[in-house]
Amino acid sequence: PLQVVGGKVKKPGKRGRKPAKIDLKAKLERSRQSARECRARKKLRYQYLEELVSSRERAICALREELEMYKQWCMAMDQGKIPSEIKALLTGEEQGKAQQNSTKLAKAVKTEANSSNP
């Protein structure tokens, strides 16, 4: 019944390790520990998802308020009125453009002055 293959003695039967006699109490304890860890992971996952949902709900509320504000502005403009917020935005942009233009002009003057000096 012993076979010699490639210089090694082969025994008939199953391959691999034979299952050792595992202590039943240790196996049960490992199973309990695994279940505890699984429940803890599940709890953390649900907490994360709940936080994600609440943050998305807050974002939705903020966007709805913003949309409502824009609707009010559109209704006012349809009636020929310009909301004060839009006026402020427009005058702010005009001031910003004026500042940008003056900055560009100042840079151009400096560049011109530097290039004319040897």
Side-chain angles (χ1 to χ4, degrees):
L2 294 179
Q3 295 176 336
V4 178
V5 178
K8 295 183 180 178
V9 178
K10 287 224 165 204
K11 296 179 186 175
K14 297 180 182 175
R15 288 189 285 166
R17 275 199 271 165
K18 291 183 180 176
K21 300 276 183 183
I22 299 172
D23 186 18
L24 192 59
K25 286 184 180 179
K27 186 175 180 180
L28 281 172
E29 185 52 41
R30 278 201 312 273
S31 176
R32 288 186 189 115
Q33 180 63 30
S34 177
R36 276 193 291 271
E37 290 170 2
C38 180
R39 286 190 295 270
R41 284 192 305 270
K42 183 177 177 181
K43 186 177 177 181
L44 282 172
R45 187 169 52 247
Y46 273 85
Q47 284 176 347
Y48 164 74
L49 290 173
E50 285 172 2
E51 289 171 10
L52 195 62
V53 167
S54 65
S55 72
R56 298 282 164 89
E57 285 175 345
R58 285 192 301 272
I60 288 170
C61 288
L63 288 170
R64 282 197 176 126
E65 288 175 9
E66 188 177 351
L67 178 63
E68 191 57 38
M69 178 185 69
Y70 291 142
K71 283 182 182 177
Q72 296 295 326
W73 288 6
C74 289
M75 286 169 43
M77 285 191 285
D78 286 345
Q79 296 171 359
K81 301 172 188 170
I82 299 178
S84 58
E85 297 91 349
I86 293 179
K87 284 182 185 175
L89 279 173
L90 291 173
T91 56
E93 285 178 8
E94 288 170 7
Q95 288 173 355
K97 285 180 184 175
Q99 286 176 346
Q100 286 175 351
N101 288 340
S102 64
T103 306
K104 285 179 185 175
L105 184 62
K107 285 182 180 176
V109 169
K110 283 182 183 177
T111 307
E112 202 173 293
N114 288 339
S115 63
S116 63
N117 289 340

